[in-house]
Amino acid sequence: MLLYKDEYQCWLENAVEDDLHSLLRKMSQEEIEDAFYKNLAFGTGGLRGTIGAGTNRMNVYTVAKASQGLADYLVKKFSRPSVVIGFDSRIKSDVFARTAASVFAANGVLTHLWPHLNPVPTVSFAVRYLSASAGIMITASHNPSKYNGYKVYGEDGCQITTKAAAEILGEIEKLDIFIDVKRLDFDAAVSEGKITYISEDVLTAFVENVKNQSVLFGEKVNRDAAIVYSPLNGTGLIPVTRTLKEMGYTNITLVEEQRLPDGAFPTCPYPNPEIREAMALGLEYARRCNADLLLATDPDCDRVGIAVKDDRGEYVLLSGNETGLLLLDYICSQRAKHHKMPDNPVMVKTIVTMDLAERIAADYGVRAVNVLTGFKYIGEQIGFLEQAKKTDSFVFGFEESYGYLSGSYVRDKDAVAGAFLICEMFSYYAAHGSSIWEKLQELFSRYGYCLNTLHSYEFDGPAGFEKMKNIMRRFHEEAGPGKTLASLGGKKILKVLDYSQGLSGLPKSDVLKYLLEGNCAAVIRPSGTEPKLKVYISVSAKTKAEAQEVERKVVGDVERVLR
């Protein structure tokens, strides 16, 4: 732990930006400790934290220090290093992007900067398209407005590996945040060609790759479905609407209050399509327009949530698992129907994603690969296929947190393509006298009902961090066959998968998966980007009501350990 009072005094003397200096002078002792008790953690997810003054905050100094460490890493690894930088609509995202660019330019790293905000997948795409050494995305994904972050990609367009993150962190930790960071004047660096703006041709190439994910293979469908779309004040407006319109979907109504970029997210304080509150305004629009389909993408446009009408004409929000299952089945059925299934096809999902996906994949002869939580591990699997010259074998990847990918053109989840494929799937079923809702019920009828839920528990500050560590220790020591906690929700724990041991060749990660009787499971893990403990519960049952009752009991048993 840092000597936070000394660190605070150092910042008072050296942080010259007016806004930061003002924040520093107004801090209480409690605020000082929370802002300086540690450095903002850098890992495979890069940086993420609340915006403000301090070593444990997102600000121009922590961004510049991370950029200097990454620059030092790139200079050692590459003879002519280069980087792609993108940013979203969040508060200070453009400032942090320019700050990072000025550091890279000062260190001789050629910098390609998106001239305007763009989605996460465009950074992954541009890294590959421009043959860059690395990529940076300034974003905090779906977090509340007080957050921002710094996501790092490798030269393959995939988020950095554990090994690369450790090496970059090693470089960062060598640095004094005020003395060792090099920076050029941004405008001077642009005029000298050390920072170049990425051309619109690259965005066009990205959109063309998205459009190529269609699996209609010449079939005609009715594209006049009434669609309501919300970018949730983020980056999705231009690429999503452009893709849909170019593919013939023109009956699109935008949620006006959430159309333009706004990092304050005034109508959805938690801009995450996973939660009902973020979708509420979109649902109002859908009812008013009698829309067939509601789409919403999160601020950095790598997640997409949807609502469709059920058999009573009521709008129902689908979970990420349900949408992923539907897309998997649609893509595989179309490929099989048109004899477009590749040799040795592969589907990749995370260990917390609905296991029902494996049974659907198996019915199409598709091999299922399970990876740790985080889309970077799905991207990594595509990279392995690429190394073996079998990239075409990848047919789909998804995670329960509303992330989908059907092609290898990027190595991160892509809500632009996700939104497009959902619209195509909807139009296809409508043209064949069915619907997304009816197809979902058909899948449950065929494979059995499955309920997957996520529960998050926040642990803020240094005391919360210690409590979260103690809770994980208790689960490791007390839960499992023959232990104090031998069952969850009345379901015996049959087996414990402890991923901290590096199971199945996966990197070591503090994740516990409890396999319960009756094809049920619970996964417990600390978030890698937020001060949260996440609990994923999967319940198989004959009916939805029965599954909900079992799930309620499992949650109760887990929360007793959390107290």
Side-chain angles (χ1 to χ4, degrees), residues 267-316:
T267 61
C268 51
Y270 204 114
N272 182 355
E274 296 180 63
I275 63 173
R276 177 171 289 274
E277 289 80 359
M279 304 290 279
L281 196 54
L283 285 168
E284 286 183 24
Y285 269 71
R287 294 187 188 100
R288 194 183 313 155
C289 302
N290 192 28
D292 299 305
L293 177 66
L294 166 65
L295 301 167
T297 53
D298 69 340
D300 60 355
C301 197
D302 60 0
R303 302 170 190 239
V304 57
I306 70 170
V308 298
K309 290 180 180 177
D310 64 13
D311 49 10
R312 298 171 300 171
E314 299 292 330
Y315 289 101
V316 178

Side-chain angles (χ1 to χ4, degrees), residues 257-535:
E257 297 90 334
Q258 299 171 346
R259 179 173 67 91
L260 295 177
D262 187 340
F265 309 118
T267 61
C268 51
Y270 204 114
N272 182 355
E274 296 180 63
I275 63 173
R276 177 171 289 274
E277 289 80 359
M279 304 290 279
L281 196 54
L283 285 168
E284 286 183 24
Y285 269 71
R287 294 187 188 100
R288 194 183 313 155
C289 302
N290 192 28
D292 299 305
L293 177 66
L294 166 65
L295 301 167
T297 53
D298 69 340
D300 60 355
C301 197
D302 60 0
R303 302 170 190 239
V304 57
I306 70 170
V308 298
K309 290 180 180 177
D310 64 13
D311 49 10
R312 298 171 300 171
E314 299 292 330
Y315 289 101
V316 178
L317 294 171
L318 298 192
S319 70
N321 274 306
E322 291 169 337
T323 302
L325 295 177
L326 285 160
L327 284 170
L328 172 65
D329 182 73
Y330 169 67
I331 290 168
C332 288
S333 64
Q334 283 295 99
R335 283 182 171 275
K337 176 182 177 181
H338 292 278
H339 307 289
K340 297 290 187 179
M341 190 68 81
D343 293 334
N344 304 311
V346 176
M347 178 276 291
V348 189
K349 73 174 192 67
T350 60
I351 59 174
V352 298
T353 299
M354 195 180 283
D355 293 334
L356 180 53
E358 296 178 38
R359 294 161 63 191
I360 294 174
D363 278 356
Y364 290 104
V366 176
R367 178 169 63 93
V369 176
N370 282 283
V371 296
L372 293 177
T373 307
F375 219 89
K376 57 182 169 286
Y377 296 112
I378 295 176
E380 184 179 51
Q381 290 296 319
I382 302 173
F384 293 153
L385 291 171
E386 185 176 49
Q387 291 168 17
K389 302 189 185 304
K390 295 179 180 178
T391 311
D392 290 343
S393 293
F394 175 74
V395 294
F396 191 57
F398 79 108
E399 61 183 6
E400 50 74 40
S401 55
Y402 295 60
Y404 318 105
L405 181 63
S406 62
S408 60
Y409 59 101
V410 297
R411 300 298 160 85
D412 206 343
K413 49 188 177 282
D414 181 2
V416 181
F420 163 53
L421 281 173
I422 288 165
C423 290
E424 179 177 291
M425 175 173 65
F426 180 92
S427 299
Y428 176 84
Y429 289 136
H432 289 77
S434 184
S435 69
I436 285 179
W437 177 256
E438 289 173 355
K439 189 64 182 181
L440 180 61
Q441 304 318 304
E442 181 186 315
L443 290 176
F444 285 146
S445 176
R446 187 188 313 166
Y447 297 103
Y449 187 82
C450 190
L451 174 68
N452 273 59
T453 60
L454 166 63
H455 301 265
S456 294
Y457 305 90
E458 292 198 24
F459 297 89
D460 289 318
F465 181 72
E466 287 300 315
K467 184 175 181 180
M468 191 161 60
K469 286 200 304 184
N470 287 332
I471 288 169
M472 285 305 297
R473 178 186 55 77
R474 287 187 62 192
F475 274 112
H476 276 279
E477 294 176 355
E478 299 176 13
K483 294 186 177 181
T484 306
L485 189 61
S487 66
L488 292 172
K491 299 284 186 179
K492 288 183 181 178
I493 298 175
L494 302 178
K495 187 176 182 180
V496 180
L497 300 178
D498 184 354
Y499 289 92
S500 67
Q501 304 303 310
L503 296 181
S504 304
L506 297 174
K508 293 180 179 180
S509 182
D510 191 12
V511 180
L512 290 167
K513 184 169 186 176
Y514 298 100
L515 303 182
L516 312 177
E517 60 184 340
N519 289 320
C520 301
V523 178
I524 299 166
R525 75 174 185 93
S527 169
T529 56
E530 305 168 84
K532 291 182 178 180
L533 196 69
K534 295 191 173 185
V535 180

Side-chain angles (χ1 to χ4, degrees), residues 126-139:
V127 168
R128 297 176 60 80
Y129 191 84
L130 299 173
S131 300
S133 311
I136 302 298
M137 180 69 186
I138 305 297
T139 177

Side-chain angles (χ1 to χ4, degrees), residues 215-275:
V215 289
L216 287 176
F217 302 117
E219 287 190 73
K220 303 297 182 183
V221 297
N222 185 344
R223 295 180 172 86
D224 291 332
I227 300 166
V228 168
Y229 169 57
S230 172
L232 295 180
N233 300 120
T235 60
L237 176 64
I238 292 173
V240 170
T241 57
R242 174 180 171 179
T243 300
L244 292 179
K245 288 176 180 177
E246 288 182 9
M247 293 304 284
Y249 300 90
T250 56
N251 190 5
I252 303 170
T253 299
L254 294 169
V255 177
E256 187 60 32
E257 297 90 334
Q258 299 171 346
R259 179 173 67 91
L260 295 177
D262 187 340
F265 309 118
T267 61
C268 51
Y270 204 114
N272 182 355
E274 296 180 63
I275 63 173

Side-chain angles (χ1 to χ4, degrees), residues 92-107:
K92 292 189 177 291
S93 278
D94 56 341
V95 174
F96 294 160
R98 289 165 63 98
T99 297
S102 68
V103 173
F104 289 120
N107 284 275

